[in-house]
Amino acid sequence: MSLPPLASGPDGPHALRPLLGTVLDALEDGARARGGPLPAGGPEAVAARLRDAVGDVLPAKGAPDAVRTVVRALAEGAADPADPLCAAHLHCPPLAVAAAADLAASALNPSLDSWDQAPAASALEALVTRALAQEAGAADSLVTTGGTESNQLALLLAREILGRVRLVCGAGAHHSLRRATWLLGLPEPVVVPAPDGILHAKALDAALTGLSGPLLVAATAGTTDAGLIDPLPEIADVCAAHGARLHIDAAYGGGLLFSDLHRTRLAGLERADTLTLDLHKLGWQPVAAGLLAVRDPGDLHTLRHRADYLNAADDTDAGLPDLLGRSLRTTRRPDILKIAVTLKSLGRSGLGTLVDHVCAHAQEFAGLVRAHPAFELYAPPTISTVLFRPAAAPDDTVAAVRRTLLHDGRAVLGRARLGGRLWLKATLLNPHTRPGDLAALLNLVEGSTPR
């Protein structure tokens, strides 16, 4: 038996080229078989079709058509974020240029835990992370797997710098922040009521007034439920008055920085001590593409770690970069490559155009909802999320409509509870969406609502 070819090395491109055609054909066939934004039939039916297609996962002898078979099965059973009727989550359709760059990352397979495994990738990461940090008014940033890891790192840095810090956040803050307090052995967070989904400065000031000890305030620029942005300048003022450290979770809203039209909504972002960004949301990157930015690069010193086989002291003294302090992970793939290629290919104006498109789509969809007597709109959209519901329908009906559309594979909508009521959530991240797609989405919901 001949040995299978490798993806890298002088012969790597030759070995990959025919496989790319196979993968692309399988993706096309699977999407055609799916025929919509989501496979029909619900979890049991999807799992059964996948089992039938894949068969024995570890056969005695390998199957030469495994790439086609498994990729096609996965594509047939996928939720397609590029379908305009797939609009539930902060799950973007990745740009083709970013996916192509991700192939190169997989083929070259650098590991960013030591310079001798990733000479150019480590230099590229240093360039891009600093540029993105400066875009947000910070000094440096680290690559993470997304908003959750960035938020956890922010709390870790605060704990190491300040001691047993107490988290204070609004009720609409991302769940990962509260989970991180448990993970890091910190006190239960102080959750400030936010009946309209926003952490208001006056309520924050009242909460901080009754607290002592080191404090970390977490504000949000783009809530998961409704895409709301806290009043960042006012919150920063309150933090300064109370001597509290400020973290801003801009995993969703940070992409507004690319838009000349919308970036002013992020005024105050530069006053954060730490800042979560996530480009697999409003950055159109394949997962994962998160960052944690810091205003003071000295804050990152707490992550320094020594492992002689990766960053021996004499090697770093001789000039080899020390990468272990750039993450809590050891092995790390070069997620920075797809980000760098995207930034270079589209530039600020190109990314800003994409941001402007999805924000405009949200306004258009909100207008359709507002004009339709059978629906109720929660509020005008802040970014690209629209909350709506069938008028006068009980919460059970709203939930059932969503599940019906999922089961039938016709549309993918999210859900959010705000103001004591359940809402359908449309998160519009596809810049290619057309007005007719938005009308079709609303018509599907209307047709699935019992009368």
PDB file of all heavy atoms in Angstrom, residues 314-344:
ATOM      1  N   ASP A 314      17.517  31.013  27.364  1.00  0.00           N
ATOM      2  CA  ASP A 314      18.643  31.382  26.502  1.00  0.00           C
ATOM      3  C   ASP A 314      18.201  31.598  25.063  1.00  0.00           C
ATOM      4  O   ASP A 314      18.784  32.403  24.338  1.00  0.00           O
ATOM      5  CB  ASP A 314      19.765  30.335  26.585  1.00  0.00           C
ATOM      6  CG  ASP A 314      19.305  28.941  26.227  1.00  0.00           C
ATOM      7  OD1 ASP A 314      18.214  28.539  26.659  1.00  0.00           O
ATOM      8  OD2 ASP A 314      20.034  28.245  25.495  1.00  0.00           O
ATOM      9  N   ASP A 315      17.120  30.887  24.628  1.00  0.00           N
ATOM     10  CA  ASP A 315      16.583  31.127  23.281  1.00  0.00           C
ATOM     11  C   ASP A 315      15.956  32.513  23.181  1.00  0.00           C
ATOM     12  O   ASP A 315      16.175  33.242  22.205  1.00  0.00           O
ATOM     13  CB  ASP A 315      15.533  30.069  22.930  1.00  0.00           C
ATOM     14  CG  ASP A 315      16.128  28.776  22.410  1.00  0.00           C
ATOM     15  OD1 ASP A 315      17.346  28.760  22.132  1.00  0.00           O
ATOM     16  OD2 ASP A 315      15.382  27.790  22.269  1.00  0.00           O
ATOM     17  N   THR A 316      15.164  32.887  24.172  1.00  0.00           N
ATOM     18  CA  THR A 316      14.532  34.214  24.120  1.00  0.00           C
ATOM     19  C   THR A 316      15.586  35.310  24.270  1.00  0.00           C
ATOM     20  O   THR A 316      15.484  36.365  23.631  1.00  0.00           O
ATOM     21  CB  THR A 316      13.445  34.353  25.200  1.00  0.00           C
ATOM     22  OG1 THR A 316      14.008  34.055  26.475  1.00  0.00           O
ATOM     23  CG2 THR A 316      12.297  33.397  24.941  1.00  0.00           C
ATOM     24  N   ASP A 317      16.616  35.057  25.093  1.00  0.00           N
ATOM     25  CA  ASP A 317      17.704  36.034  25.210  1.00  0.00           C
ATOM     26  C   ASP A 317      18.438  36.204  23.882  1.00  0.00           C
ATOM     27  O   ASP A 317      18.947  37.294  23.571  1.00  0.00           O
ATOM     28  CB  ASP A 317      18.705  35.596  26.283  1.00  0.00           C
ATOM     29  CG  ASP A 317      18.140  35.732  27.695  1.00  0.00           C
ATOM     30  OD1 ASP A 317      17.114  36.434  27.839  1.00  0.00           O
ATOM     31  OD2 ASP A 317      18.703  35.131  28.618  1.00  0.00           O
ATOM     32  N   ALA A 318      18.457  35.115  23.091  1.00  0.00           N
ATOM     33  CA  ALA A 318      19.131  35.163  21.791  1.00  0.00           C
ATOM     34  C   ALA A 318      18.261  35.773  20.699  1.00  0.00           C
ATOM     35  O   ALA A 318      18.701  35.912  19.558  1.00  0.00           O
ATOM     36  CB  ALA A 318      19.566  33.756  21.388  1.00  0.00           C
ATOM     37  N   GLY A 319      17.013  36.126  21.044  1.00  0.00           N
ATOM     38  CA  GLY A 319      16.165  36.816  20.076  1.00  0.00           C
ATOM     39  C   GLY A 319      15.016  36.017  19.505  1.00  0.00           C
ATOM     40  O   GLY A 319      14.247  36.545  18.688  1.00  0.00           O
ATOM     41  N   LEU A 320      14.842  34.744  19.901  1.00  0.00           N
ATOM     42  CA  LEU A 320      13.691  33.988  19.409  1.00  0.00           C
ATOM     43  C   LEU A 320      12.432  34.469  20.132  1.00  0.00           C
ATOM     44  O   LEU A 320      12.410  34.517  21.366  1.00  0.00           O
ATOM     45  CB  LEU A 320      13.884  32.492  19.639  1.00  0.00           C
ATOM     46  CG  LEU A 320      15.033  31.819  18.883  1.00  0.00           C
ATOM     47  CD1 LEU A 320      15.030  30.312  19.143  1.00  0.00           C
ATOM     48  CD2 LEU A 320      14.939  32.089  17.382  1.00  0.00           C
ATOM     49  N   PRO A 321      11.376  34.843  19.406  1.00  0.00           N
ATOM     50  CA  PRO A 321      10.161  35.344  20.060  1.00  0.00           C
ATOM     51  C   PRO A 321       9.557  34.316  21.008  1.00  0.00           C
ATOM     52  O   PRO A 321       9.563  33.111  20.742  1.00  0.00           O
ATOM     53  CB  PRO A 321       9.226  35.634  18.877  1.00  0.00           C
ATOM     54  CG  PRO A 321      10.131  35.858  17.724  1.00  0.00           C
ATOM     55  CD  PRO A 321      11.291  34.931  17.940  1.00  0.00           C
ATOM     56  N   ASP A 322       9.027  34.818  22.120  1.00  0.00           N
ATOM     57  CA  ASP A 322       8.360  33.992  23.125  1.00  0.00           C
ATOM     58  C   ASP A 322       6.858  34.074  22.875  1.00  0.00           C
ATOM     59  O   ASP A 322       6.255  35.140  23.042  1.00  0.00           O
ATOM     60  CB  ASP A 322       8.730  34.516  24.512  1.00  0.00           C
ATOM     61  CG  ASP A 322       8.053  33.747  25.637  1.00  0.00           C
ATOM     62  OD1 ASP A 322       7.277  32.824  25.351  1.00  0.00           O
ATOM     63  OD2 ASP A 322       8.308  34.081  26.808  1.00  0.00           O
ATOM     64  N   LEU A 323       6.247  32.972  22.467  1.00  0.00           N
ATOM     65  CA  LEU A 323       4.828  32.981  22.099  1.00  0.00           C
ATOM     66  C   LEU A 323       3.906  32.448  23.192  1.00  0.00           C
ATOM     67  O   LEU A 323       2.695  32.594  23.088  1.00  0.00           O
ATOM     68  CB  LEU A 323       4.613  32.156  20.824  1.00  0.00           C
ATOM     69  CG  LEU A 323       5.434  32.560  19.598  1.00  0.00           C
ATOM     70  CD1 LEU A 323       5.032  31.718  18.396  1.00  0.00           C
ATOM     71  CD2 LEU A 323       5.264  34.030  19.290  1.00  0.00           C
ATOM     72  N   LEU A 324       4.448  31.824  24.230  1.00  0.00           N
ATOM     73  CA  LEU A 324       3.579  31.212  25.239  1.00  0.00           C
ATOM     74  C   LEU A 324       2.748  32.245  25.992  1.00  0.00           C
ATOM     75  O   LEU A 324       1.659  31.924  26.468  1.00  0.00           O
ATOM     76  CB  LEU A 324       4.401  30.391  26.235  1.00  0.00           C
ATOM     77  CG  LEU A 324       4.744  28.954  25.838  1.00  0.00           C
ATOM     78  CD1 LEU A 324       5.336  28.211  27.021  1.00  0.00           C
ATOM     79  CD2 LEU A 324       3.526  28.208  25.320  1.00  0.00           C
ATOM     80  N   GLY A 325       3.259  33.448  26.113  1.00  0.00           N
ATOM     81  CA  GLY A 325       2.514  34.486  26.806  1.00  0.00           C
ATOM     82  C   GLY A 325       1.446  35.153  25.964  1.00  0.00           C
ATOM     83  O   GLY A 325       0.799  36.099  26.419  1.00  0.00           O
ATOM     84  N   ARG A 326       1.229  34.648  24.753  1.00  0.00           N
ATOM     85  CA  ARG A 326       0.212  35.224  23.868  1.00  0.00           C
ATOM     86  C   ARG A 326      -1.118  34.468  23.928  1.00  0.00           C
ATOM     87  O   ARG A 326      -2.054  34.795  23.208  1.00  0.00           O
ATOM     88  CB  ARG A 326       0.713  35.222  22.420  1.00  0.00           C
ATOM     89  CG  ARG A 326       2.016  35.950  22.185  1.00  0.00           C
ATOM     90  CD  ARG A 326       1.898  37.436  22.390  1.00  0.00           C
ATOM     91  NE  ARG A 326       0.964  38.061  21.453  1.00  0.00           N
ATOM     92  CZ  ARG A 326       0.653  39.348  21.469  1.00  0.00           C
ATOM     93  NH1 ARG A 326       1.191  40.142  22.379  1.00  0.00           N
ATOM     94  NH2 ARG A 326      -0.184  39.846  20.591  1.00  0.00           N
ATOM     95  N   SER A 327      -1.200  33.468  24.801  1.00  0.00           N
ATOM     96  CA  SER A 327      -2.433  32.688  24.889  1.00  0.00           C
ATOM     97  C   SER A 327      -2.350  31.754  26.082  1.00  0.00           C
ATOM     98  O   SER A 327      -1.251  31.414  26.548  1.00  0.00           O
ATOM     99  CB  SER A 327      -2.647  31.868  23.611  1.00  0.00           C
ATOM    100  OG  SER A 327      -3.804  31.050  23.711  1.00  0.00           O
ATOM    101  N   LEU A 328      -3.510  31.304  26.570  1.00  0.00           N
ATOM    102  CA  LEU A 328      -3.531  30.229  27.557  1.00  0.00           C
ATOM    103  C   LEU A 328      -3.451  28.864  26.882  1.00  0.00           C
ATOM    104  O   LEU A 328      -3.200  27.856  27.544  1.00  0.00           O
ATOM    105  CB  LEU A 328      -4.811  30.306  28.397  1.00  0.00           C
ATOM    106  CG  LEU A 328      -4.905  31.475  29.368  1.00  0.00           C
ATOM    107  CD1 LEU A 328      -6.225  31.436  30.125  1.00  0.00           C
ATOM    108  CD2 LEU A 328      -3.740  31.495  30.333  1.00  0.00           C
ATOM    109  N   ARG A 329      -3.670  28.851  25.580  1.00  0.00           N
ATOM    110  CA  ARG A 329      -3.549  27.599  24.831  1.00  0.00           C
ATOM    111  C   ARG A 329      -2.093  27.388  24.441  1.00  0.00           C
ATOM    112  O   ARG A 329      -1.336  28.335  24.271  1.00  0.00           O
ATOM    113  CB  ARG A 329      -4.423  27.649  23.574  1.00  0.00           C
ATOM    114  CG  ARG A 329      -5.912  27.669  23.868  1.00  0.00           C
ATOM    115  CD  ARG A 329      -6.710  27.931  22.605  1.00  0.00           C
ATOM    116  NE  ARG A 329      -6.644  29.339  22.203  1.00  0.00           N
ATOM    117  CZ  ARG A 329      -6.678  29.767  20.951  1.00  0.00           C
ATOM    118  NH1 ARG A 329      -6.728  28.906  19.955  1.00  0.00           N
ATOM    119  NH2 ARG A 329      -6.632  31.055  20.697  1.00  0.00           N
ATOM    120  N   THR A 330      -1.716  26.130  24.264  1.00  0.00           N
ATOM    121  CA  THR A 330      -0.376  25.826  23.765  1.00  0.00           C
ATOM    122  C   THR A 330      -0.450  25.716  22.248  1.00  0.00           C
ATOM    123  O   THR A 330      -0.143  26.668  21.540  1.00  0.00           O
ATOM    124  CB  THR A 330       0.173  24.543  24.412  1.00  0.00           C
ATOM    125  OG1 THR A 330       0.162  24.714  25.838  1.00  0.00           O
ATOM    126  CG2 THR A 330       1.610  24.283  23.975  1.00  0.00           C
ATOM    127  N   THR A 331      -0.878  24.589  21.720  1.00  0.00           N
ATOM    128  CA  THR A 331      -1.053  24.474  20.277  1.00  0.00           C
ATOM    129  C   THR A 331      -2.124  25.453  19.806  1.00  0.00           C
ATOM    130  O   THR A 331      -3.229  25.487  20.338  1.00  0.00           O
ATOM    131  CB  THR A 331      -1.461  23.040  19.902  1.00  0.00           C
ATOM    132  OG1 THR A 331      -0.462  22.137  20.364  1.00  0.00           O
ATOM    133  CG2 THR A 331      -1.629  22.907  18.400  1.00  0.00           C
ATOM    134  N   ARG A 332      -1.792  26.263  18.819  1.00  0.00           N
ATOM    135  CA  ARG A 332      -2.750  27.219  18.253  1.00  0.00           C
ATOM    136  C   ARG A 332      -2.572  27.261  16.750  1.00  0.00           C
ATOM    137  O   ARG A 332      -1.463  27.425  16.249  1.00  0.00           O
ATOM    138  CB  ARG A 332      -2.503  28.634  18.795  1.00  0.00           C
ATOM    139  CG  ARG A 332      -2.948  28.878  20.198  1.00  0.00           C
ATOM    140  CD  ARG A 332      -3.001  30.361  20.504  1.00  0.00           C
ATOM    141  NE  ARG A 332      -1.716  31.028  20.421  1.00  0.00           N
ATOM    142  CZ  ARG A 332      -1.461  32.074  19.649  1.00  0.00           C
ATOM    143  NH1 ARG A 332      -2.395  32.563  18.836  1.00  0.00           N
ATOM    144  NH2 ARG A 332      -0.260  32.635  19.649  1.00  0.00           N
ATOM    145  N   ARG A 333      -3.678  27.124  16.033  1.00  0.00           N
ATOM    146  CA  ARG A 333      -3.601  27.239  14.583  1.00  0.00           C
ATOM    147  C   ARG A 333      -3.523  28.722  14.194  1.00  0.00           C
ATOM    148  O   ARG A 333      -3.942  29.591  14.974  1.00  0.00           O
ATOM    149  CB  ARG A 333      -4.761  26.519  13.904  1.00  0.00           C
ATOM    150  CG  ARG A 333      -6.099  27.211  13.982  1.00  0.00           C
ATOM    151  CD  ARG A 333      -7.220  26.332  13.450  1.00  0.00           C
ATOM    152  NE  ARG A 333      -6.991  25.865  12.098  1.00  0.00           N
ATOM    153  CZ  ARG A 333      -7.326  26.524  11.010  1.00  0.00           C
ATOM    154  NH1 ARG A 333      -7.915  27.716  11.108  1.00  0.00           N
ATOM    155  NH2 ARG A 333      -7.096  26.026   9.813  1.00  0.00           N
ATOM    156  N   PRO A 334      -3.040  29.049  12.999  1.00  0.00           N
ATOM    157  CA  PRO A 334      -2.848  30.461  12.618  1.00  0.00           C
ATOM    158  C   PRO A 334      -4.140  31.108  12.118  1.00  0.00           C
ATOM    159  O   PRO A 334      -4.270  31.448  10.943  1.00  0.00           O
ATOM    160  CB  PRO A 334      -1.795  30.370  11.513  1.00  0.00           C
ATOM    161  CG  PRO A 334      -2.073  29.056  10.860  1.00  0.00           C
ATOM    162  CD  PRO A 334      -2.511  28.136  11.963  1.00  0.00           C
ATOM    163  N   ASP A 335      -5.092  31.312  13.029  1.00  0.00           N
ATOM    164  CA  ASP A 335      -6.352  31.955  12.636  1.00  0.00           C
ATOM    165  C   ASP A 335      -6.125  33.367  12.123  1.00  0.00           C
ATOM    166  O   ASP A 335      -6.986  33.933  11.441  1.00  0.00           O
ATOM    167  CB  ASP A 335      -7.317  31.969  13.821  1.00  0.00           C
ATOM    168  CG  ASP A 335      -7.867  30.595  14.138  1.00  0.00           C
ATOM    169  OD1 ASP A 335      -8.232  29.875  13.196  1.00  0.00           O
ATOM    170  OD2 ASP A 335      -7.918  30.223  15.321  1.00  0.00           O
ATOM    171  N   ILE A 336      -4.967  33.923  12.435  1.00  0.00           N
ATOM    172  CA  ILE A 336      -4.679  35.282  11.995  1.00  0.00           C
ATOM    173  C   ILE A 336      -4.524  35.366  10.480  1.00  0.00           C
ATOM    174  O   ILE A 336      -4.716  36.443   9.893  1.00  0.00           O
ATOM    175  CB  ILE A 336      -3.405  35.806  12.700  1.00  0.00           C
ATOM    176  CG1 ILE A 336      -3.408  37.335  12.727  1.00  0.00           C
ATOM    177  CG2 ILE A 336      -2.143  35.248  12.064  1.00  0.00           C
ATOM    178  CD1 ILE A 336      -4.481  37.937  13.586  1.00  0.00           C
ATOM    179  N   LEU A 337      -4.200  34.252   9.808  1.00  0.00           N
ATOM    180  CA  LEU A 337      -3.967  34.307   8.363  1.00  0.00           C
ATOM    181  C   LEU A 337      -5.215  34.729   7.611  1.00  0.00           C
ATOM    182  O   LEU A 337      -5.175  35.621   6.765  1.00  0.00           O
ATOM    183  CB  LEU A 337      -3.462  32.952   7.854  1.00  0.00           C
ATOM    184  CG  LEU A 337      -3.285  32.845   6.335  1.00  0.00           C
ATOM    185  CD1 LEU A 337      -2.299  33.879   5.810  1.00  0.00           C
ATOM    186  CD2 LEU A 337      -2.828  31.433   5.948  1.00  0.00           C
ATOM    187  N   LYS A 338      -6.352  34.090   7.902  1.00  0.00           N
ATOM    188  CA  LYS A 338      -7.581  34.447   7.175  1.00  0.00           C
ATOM    189  C   LYS A 338      -7.990  35.890   7.474  1.00  0.00           C
ATOM    190  O   LYS A 338      -8.493  36.607   6.604  1.00  0.00           O
ATOM    191  CB  LYS A 338      -8.708  33.484   7.548  1.00  0.00           C
ATOM    192  CG  LYS A 338      -9.094  33.507   9.014  1.00  0.00           C
ATOM    193  CD  LYS A 338      -9.880  32.284   9.418  1.00  0.00           C
ATOM    194  CE  LYS A 338     -10.129  32.268  10.921  1.00  0.00           C
ATOM    195  NZ  LYS A 338     -10.599  30.960  11.377  1.00  0.00           N
ATOM    196  N   ILE A 339      -7.757  36.325   8.738  1.00  0.00           N
ATOM    197  CA  ILE A 339      -8.073  37.712   9.096  1.00  0.00           C
ATOM    198  C   ILE A 339      -7.191  38.673   8.308  1.00  0.00           C
ATOM    199  O   ILE A 339      -7.677  39.662   7.738  1.00  0.00           O
ATOM    200  CB  ILE A 339      -7.895  37.920  10.608  1.00  0.00           C
ATOM    201  CG1 ILE A 339      -8.867  37.045  11.397  1.00  0.00           C
ATOM    202  CG2 ILE A 339      -8.073  39.393  10.973  1.00  0.00           C
ATOM    203  CD1 ILE A 339      -8.635  37.061  12.895  1.00  0.00           C
ATOM    204  N   ALA A 340      -5.889  38.374   8.248  1.00  0.00           N
ATOM    205  CA  ALA A 340      -4.955  39.246   7.533  1.00  0.00           C
ATOM    206  C   ALA A 340      -5.303  39.339   6.050  1.00  0.00           C
ATOM    207  O   ALA A 340      -5.281  40.426   5.454  1.00  0.00           O
ATOM    208  CB  ALA A 340      -3.527  38.727   7.711  1.00  0.00           C
ATOM    209  N   VAL A 341      -5.616  38.195   5.443  1.00  0.00           N
ATOM    210  CA  VAL A 341      -5.963  38.191   4.020  1.00  0.00           C
ATOM    211  C   VAL A 341      -7.227  39.002   3.774  1.00  0.00           C
ATOM    212  O   VAL A 341      -7.329  39.766   2.800  1.00  0.00           O
ATOM    213  CB  VAL A 341      -6.118  36.743   3.522  1.00  0.00           C
ATOM    214  CG1 VAL A 341      -6.752  36.711   2.132  1.00  0.00           C
ATOM    215  CG2 VAL A 341      -4.760  36.038   3.494  1.00  0.00           C
ATOM    216  N   THR A 342      -8.208  38.866   4.674  1.00  0.00           N
ATOM    217  CA  THR A 342      -9.455  39.627   4.522  1.00  0.00           C
ATOM    218  C   THR A 342      -9.217  41.122   4.651  1.00  0.00           C
ATOM    219  O   THR A 342      -9.703  41.924   3.840  1.00  0.00           O
ATOM    220  CB  THR A 342     -10.484  39.163   5.569  1.00  0.00           C
ATOM    221  OG1 THR A 342     -10.752  37.773   5.390  1.00  0.00           O
ATOM    222  CG2 THR A 342     -11.782  39.945   5.442  1.00  0.00           C
ATOM    223  N   LEU A 343      -8.477  41.527   5.683  1.00  0.00           N
ATOM    224  CA  LEU A 343      -8.204  42.959   5.876  1.00  0.00           C
ATOM    225  C   LEU A 343      -7.479  43.543   4.673  1.00  0.00           C
ATOM    226  O   LEU A 343      -7.796  44.641   4.205  1.00  0.00           O
ATOM    227  CB  LEU A 343      -7.371  43.163   7.138  1.00  0.00           C
ATOM    228  CG  LEU A 343      -7.995  42.745   8.473  1.00  0.00           C
ATOM    229  CD1 LEU A 343      -6.992  42.965   9.604  1.00  0.00           C
ATOM    230  CD2 LEU A 343      -9.277  43.507   8.745  1.00  0.00           C
ATOM    231  N   LYS A 344      -6.491  42.802   4.175  1.00  0.00           N
ATOM    232  CA  LYS A 344      -5.697  43.286   3.043  1.00  0.00           C
ATOM    233  C   LYS A 344      -6.523  43.304   1.760  1.00  0.00           C
ATOM    234  O   LYS A 344      -6.398  44.223   0.938  1.00  0.00           O
ATOM    235  CB  LYS A 344      -4.471  42.383   2.873  1.00  0.00           C
ATOM    236  CG  LYS A 344      -3.466  42.852   1.839  1.00  0.00           C
ATOM    237  CD  LYS A 344      -2.675  44.046   2.331  1.00  0.00           C
ATOM    238  CE  LYS A 344      -1.556  44.409   1.362  1.00  0.00           C
ATOM    239  NZ  LYS A 344      -0.863  45.651   1.780  1.00  0.00           N
TER     240      LYS A 344
END
